[in-house]
Amino acid sequence: MRITLVRHALLPLLAAFVLAGCHGKDDPTQPGGSTPVASVQSSVELLKKGDLAGLWKHALPPADYATLRADWSKRDPNQPPITEQDRARFNETLQKFTAPDAEQKLYAELEPKLTQMEQQYKDQLPVLISMGDALVKRGIAQNTTLDAQQKTQANAVVDVLAPWAQKTPWFDQAKAKQAVHVAVTTVRQLDLKSPEALRAMDFDTAMKKYATGYAGAKQLLAIYGLSVDDTLDSIKLSELENKDGHAKVKIDYTLLGKPLSTETAMVEVDGRWYSESMLKNARQSHQQHEDNAATAEPAPAGSTAHTD
């Protein structure tokens, strides 16, 4: 349930915003916004700070936020049990990043692989990335949840990212060493103890861990020339329409020096404005959780039918 919720609700928001100027400021610690633009602006400010817990609290009406927190710690009945193999693999990976000499060992392991990969794939990489570009665009075209305008906007982002990926020095040893340092530092800051503890995290703990991972991911991207902060700082917002409790906000931004734009739908709930997609996905996730719990409930005693 947790991974589904992050993927279908939080990540689309991150993509839209990485993918708001000061224009009507609100207190970002309050749920929703006084206007559609103010609501988006507060979300961007929270994202800049990496305050993912605050982002959820702002992005959902109080009742939905309370439901999210309550659902978070409930065990997903469809989740498979943790096996000894899972535990061993987790501990082995964790040890690689937390050992006292982790950076030196990881880079020593990576360095010859980078040299080999550069020899094998340097000339092929642009072609491989172009193939990946085509696959991503095909996926966008076949996506049934995006409308025509959203597909156009998504393709525009791909058109900016693909040339960046083709020109980025992925095999550069100095950058790889920086990346290893960031990865090791991030894993240590996550302070993960066991797969059981990872699965049992409550909402507040999980948000702190996600925020740490988000900060590490931003640093990794910056090493290779993609600054999430620069993109967030470039955002300008404008209201396109506002009628009967529904609104659209245009988000103009710059990605890798290229001007782009997207739109986000907003909905009014109890006089405050929220992201329509985030609210919808949060409620769908809760319903899925309820359905899973109902399916997993054992039948009442004596309810089993017998046939001769």
Side-chain angles (χ1 to χ4, degrees), residues 100-258:
D101 56 353
E103 283 191 47
Q104 292 82 357
K105 283 189 174 181
L106 284 169
Y107 183 67
E109 183 180 332
L110 179 62
E111 186 176 16
K113 292 181 180 178
L114 283 174
T115 301
Q116 181 182 3
M117 290 173 65
E118 183 174 22
Q119 293 171 349
Q120 289 181 335
Y121 299 113
K122 184 176 181 180
D123 293 335
Q124 301 177 37
L125 192 59
V127 176
L128 293 173
I129 292 174
S130 294
M131 293 172 61
D133 180 7
L135 289 173
V136 171
K137 288 186 174 181
R138 186 181 305 166
I140 292 171
Q142 296 173 349
N143 191 303
T144 58
T145 64
L146 299 176
D147 61 29
Q149 185 177 38
Q150 290 171 326
K151 289 180 179 181
T152 299
Q153 293 165 350
N155 281 322
V157 172
V158 175
D159 286 339
V160 173
L161 292 178
W164 164 74
Q166 289 176 334
K167 296 177 181 177
T168 297
W170 298 111
F171 308 117
D172 184 271
Q173 299 283 354
K175 292 185 182 298
K177 199 167 189 176
Q178 294 177 56
V180 168
H181 172 74
V182 170
V184 168
T185 301
T186 301
V187 172
R188 287 174 175 171
Q189 289 174 343
L190 286 170
D191 193 27
L192 303 174
K193 301 299 186 183
S194 69
E196 290 85 358
L198 185 64
R199 184 174 287 188
M201 285 191 300
D202 61 20
F203 177 82
D204 292 329
T205 302
M207 289 303 105
K208 290 178 182 177
K209 303 293 187 187
Y210 289 160
T212 298
Y214 172 61
K218 288 204 302 180
Q219 291 180 62
L220 286 173
L221 288 172
I223 289 171
Y224 292 98
L226 199 167
S227 172
V228 174
D229 288 335
D230 285 352
T231 298
L232 291 171
D233 287 340
S234 73
I235 291 175
K236 306 294 181 184
L237 302 174
S238 57
E239 188 174 275
L240 296 178
E241 58 184 69
N242 187 334
K243 184 179 181 182
D244 298 330
H246 293 270
K248 281 189 179 181
V249 174
K250 184 182 180 186
I251 305 171
D252 291 301
Y253 63 102
T254 301
L255 178 62
L256 293 168
K258 305 293 184 181

Side-chain angles (χ1 to χ4, degrees), residues 14 18 26 49 70 83 113 120 142 148-149 162 165 168 253 263 270 300:
L14 295 178
V18 167
D26 271 1
K49 294 191 296 185
T83 65
K113 292 181 180 178
Q120 289 181 335
Q142 296 173 349
Q149 185 177 38
T168 297
Y253 63 102
E263 296 175 10
D270 296 330

Side-chain angles (χ1 to χ4, degrees), residues 60-61 64 267 269 275-284:
L60 295 176
D64 293 277
V267 62
V269 179
S275 163
E276 186 173 338
S277 63
M278 249 187 127
L279 179 55
K280 176 182 177 182
N281 287 319
R283 289 178 174 176
Q284 286 179 340

Side-chain angles (χ1 to χ4, degrees), residues 6-26:
V6 171
R7 184 174 70 246
H8 291 298
L10 181 57
L11 293 185
L13 181 71
L14 295 178
F17 290 160
V18 167
L19 296 176
C22 297
H23 192 312
K25 286 219 170 189
D26 271 1

